[in-house]
Amino acid sequence: MDLQKRPDPTAPTPAKPTATTTAAAPTELRASDADRDRIADILREALAEGRLTAEEHAERVEGVLATKTVGELDQFVRDLPAAHTGRATSAYTSVPRRPAADAIPVEADENVVAIFSAAVRKGRWRAGRRIHAYSVFGSVEIDLSEAIFEYQHVVIKAISVFGSVEIRVPENVSLRGSGGAVLGNFEVDTLDSGDPHAPVVYVDGLSVLGNVEARPKRGKLIADILDRVTGRVAERVSDRVDRSLRKHLDH
């Protein structure tokens, strides 16, 4: 007689853990600077619309800066319309695709070169579609925080050999990077803009015993993007006034 126990074929099979069940929920993910900046933009627009007082805005922004997870960020915009129209989750939207190879000229619109010296581009200047920066035993600073963006895509090729290339961009653009370093540092802080029409800056290059660094410049915003936001707010206010007037005339 076979006394060995056999599994009951009708018994339910315990579910195996999957990547979906073991992965952290999106709300439990650690918040990035881009997440906090995007929520701060929503609060800034709510202040401009009169939905928040100056005290409420300051209190919420302070809380956003101290927030640890994405889920905690939601509480600061939960009572605002933007939280229910997809604006609050825009941190997870992708930036425009990288332009095709033939869309950006091979030749640079501007070369910034520093050999045993320093070269700086800053202030109110026009950024071309391609900028080449070369630093050999020198330093290059490219500051786009006040630049005029005539194109949506800007490619910066940065080469540093025993030198440094520092790139700064406004907070309301998108920033991407692709490069490497040999006994040096190549660092690009990824940044996503909430505006799909905002400029996208791509930093490519190589650092050999040097430093290449690209990051947003806090407190600096592109004015024309802000003008578009203000224009949309003004249009909404105008529409509400028109509707109120028409309702009053109908009575």
Side-chain angles (χ1 to χ4, degrees):
M1 180 182 295
D2 187 3
L3 298 179
Q4 185 179 1
K5 292 184 179 180
R6 297 182 185 195
D8 184 357
T10 62
T13 304
K16 294 181 179 180
T18 62
T20 303
T21 58
T22 58
T27 56
E28 297 175 355
L29 296 176
R30 301 283 293 188
S32 67
D33 287 341
D35 296 328
R36 297 185 185 91
D37 291 344
R38 194 153 286 102
I39 296 298
D41 288 341
I42 295 175
L43 295 175
R44 187 183 301 114
E45 184 171 345
L47 175 65
E49 293 174 344
R51 300 183 188 276
L52 296 176
T53 64
E55 292 78 9
E56 291 172 332
H57 174 263
E59 181 180 355
R60 295 194 186 194
V61 169
E62 184 178 355
V64 166
L65 296 177
T67 297
K68 300 295 185 182
T69 66
V70 173
E72 292 173 339
L73 284 174
D74 294 339
Q75 65 180 339
F76 296 103
V77 294
R78 190 169 297 158
D79 58 344
L80 299 176
H84 305 282
T85 57
R87 285 289 304 279
T89 58
S90 60
Y92 306 103
T93 59
S94 59
V95 299
R97 291 185 177 181
R98 192 180 184 92
D102 56 353
I104 301 294
V106 178
E107 298 296 329
D109 296 319
E110 183 171 3
N111 290 296
V112 186
V113 181
I115 301 177
F116 289 96
S117 61
V120 179
R121 292 292 183 274
K122 63 188 303 184
R124 197 66 173 164
W125 61 290
R126 298 182 182 274
R129 285 177 291 179
R130 179 181 288 275
I131 302 170
H132 289 177
Y134 301 98
S135 174
V136 181
F137 289 96
S139 65
V140 171
E141 179 185 353
I142 298 178
D143 190 342
L144 296 167
S145 61
E146 298 180 6
I148 300 173
F149 286 85
E150 297 181 323
Y151 307 96
Q152 185 177 17
H153 299 276
V154 176
V155 175
I156 300 177
K157 180 180 178 181
I159 303 295
S160 174
V161 179
F162 288 96
S164 67
V165 177
E166 294 187 0
I167 300 166
R168 298 292 181 265
V169 302
E171 288 189 284
N172 54 347
V173 306
S174 294
L175 178 62
R176 287 289 186 272
S178 176
V182 179
L183 299 179
N185 177 61
F186 185 96
E187 182 179 356
V188 176
D189 288 356
T190 299
L191 179 66
D192 290 338
S193 174
D195 190 330
H197 303 293
V200 185
V201 179
Y202 300 94
V203 178
D204 302 329
L206 176 67
S207 173
V208 180
L209 293 168
N211 178 65
V212 174
E213 180 185 283
R215 62 182 55 184
K217 191 170 185 178
R218 299 302 177 190
K220 292 295 184 178
L221 304 171
I222 297 180
D224 59 348
I225 295 181
L226 294 178
D227 290 343
R228 288 202 296 270
V229 173
T230 305
R232 289 196 294 267
V233 173
E235 289 176 2
R236 289 196 292 268
V237 172
S238 178
D239 289 341
R240 288 199 295 269
V241 172
D242 290 341
R243 286 197 297 269
S244 299
L245 287 175
R246 285 197 297 269
K247 186 182 296 184
H248 178 74
L249 292 175
D250 290 340
H251 290 298

